Amino acid sequence: EILKQRPFRIRRIPTFVSGINSVGITGLFTAEGDTWKSDRRIIAPALNKIHSRSYLDVIRTIIPRLIQKWDNARTQGPVAINSDLMLFYIDIMSLVAYGRDID
């Protein structure tokens, strides 16, 4: 249902877009409007269920970093995870889409 309303009625959170753009990544993950519709048609096959299974190795590479960061931070009190989860997502997308490990 959401994809039917994208990209004109439902848009990305501006802080998400600026976060991704700040590391030099542009394209489907930050596009809106007609650009998003066009880019989505190109990239959608790569994000199907069969291909998504192959991305598990990328996720397995990044998860230990996040766990280590949280283990180190928890000795200092509560851990704010929102920004860490956004960076985790950006790391995954960077490796999957561009083959770049930006961490």
Side-chain angles (χ1 to χ4, degrees):
E1 183 65 28
I2 289 175
L3 289 178
K4 290 179 185 176
Q5 296 181 26
R6 283 266 313 133
F8 300 103
R9 295 187 69 201
I10 296 178
R11 294 188 162 287
R12 290 186 177 81
I13 300 169
T15 54
F16 169 78
V17 173
S18 67
I20 291 179
N21 287 340
S22 73
V23 294
I25 298 173
T26 60
L28 177 68
F29 304 111
T30 58
E32 295 289 358
D34 290 327
T35 302
W36 178 85
K37 286 177 76 173
S38 174
D39 289 354
R40 183 176 178 276
R41 284 187 193 102
I42 295 168
I43 197 78
L47 299 176
N48 70 24
K49 186 176 181 179
I50 293 169
H51 289 104
S52 295
R53 285 189 185 125
S54 68
Y55 307 146
L56 289 177
D57 288 336
V58 169
I59 295 169
R60 287 185 188 117
T61 297
I62 297 170
I63 289 266
R65 297 178 194 168
L66 185 60
I67 291 170
Q68 184 65 49
K69 182 177 182 179
W70 287 349
D71 279 346
N72 293 341
R74 72 184 170 140
T75 62
Q76 301 168 12
V79 178
I81 65 170
N82 291 350
S83 62
D84 288 341
L85 290 175
M86 181 177 288
L87 293 172
F88 171 73
Y89 173 74
I90 291 170
D91 285 347
I92 290 171
M93 290 298 106
S94 173
L95 272 169
V96 168
Y98 303 104
R100 284 184 45 197
D101 189 351
I102 59 175
D103 187 38

